[in-house]
Amino acid sequence: MLGRTLGLNSQQALLATKSCLAIIVAYALALRLNWNASYVATTIIVLQTAAVGTTLHKASLRMIGTLAGALIGLALVGTCAHDRELFILSMVVLTGICVWGMQTSANQYAWMLAMLTAAIVGWPSVMNPLDTFQTAVDRVTAVTMGVMLSGLAQTLLWPTTAASNYEQTMRRLLKGCRNVLRLT
């Protein structure tokens, strides 16, 4: 009754509940550890999908992209921080490579996150290179925590597979077809 009133079906309500629980745990842990809780919550929100397999695949791409971007950002600041023009040129080349990777790869999400993380680690840190390592560690730990909590929420709290989503969609489709046939 409440679901119909709010316009939610059971799958949407389940996904929203899982997401909220994971975010509550994320904020509690991040605040306890003095971490940036918004990065963790953002990761959880971005990773939540209706099916467990899709969430885990997206989580693995997010981890790969974040780790690669953090390492690349550290390397660029370490080698180019002394010369602004060289650093800017390096970031532009990196952006071009990542955009090319997004266009040609099946793992576009990992390429995008590598570019984004390298920018988050590199651009602000080039003015103060001593903060670069801490920025990279903060970003990677927040994403790792978000990935773990999102994965746990999806796999432990009422897991939904793509097959069950497909079956529910087919049932709704057939019910709609029956209703159309009944009208004719």
Side-chain angles (χ1 to χ4, degrees), residues 12 20 52 55-56 66 76 87 90 92 96 101 104 118 124 129 148 161 163 181:
Q12 291 169 335
C20 288
V52 174
T55 299
L56 296 178
T66 300
L76 289 179
F87 178 77
S90 299
V92 167
T104 59
M148 288 173 48
T161 62
L181 287 174

Side-chain angles (χ1 to χ4, degrees), residues 1-109:
M1 168 104 173
L2 182 62
R4 275 187 247 132
T5 306
L6 297 176
L8 292 175
N9 66 25
S10 62
Q11 292 295 336
Q12 291 169 335
L14 181 63
L15 184 60
T17 303
K18 287 190 232 183
S19 300
C20 288
L21 289 174
I23 289 170
I24 289 169
V25 171
Y27 266 98
L29 288 173
L31 292 174
R32 179 85 174 137
L33 298 170
N34 291 326
W35 288 353
N36 188 346
S38 62
Y39 280 156
V40 180
T42 302
T43 298
I44 291 169
I45 291 166
V46 167
L47 292 180
Q48 291 299 321
T49 61
V52 174
T54 308
T55 299
L56 296 178
H57 181 260
K58 199 172 182 183
S60 67
L61 292 177
R62 190 168 185 94
M63 281 303 305
I64 290 167
T66 300
L67 286 171
L71 291 173
I72 292 168
L74 284 171
L76 289 179
V77 170
T79 56
C80 305
H82 62 282
D83 186 1
R84 284 187 183 156
E85 291 83 15
L86 180 61
F87 178 77
I88 291 169
L89 179 65
S90 299
M91 288 300 279
V92 167
V93 169
L94 173 66
T95 301
I97 291 170
C98 288
V99 169
W100 172 79
M102 284 189 281
Q103 301 301 315
T104 59
S105 174
N107 301 319
Q108 300 168 348
Y109 191 59

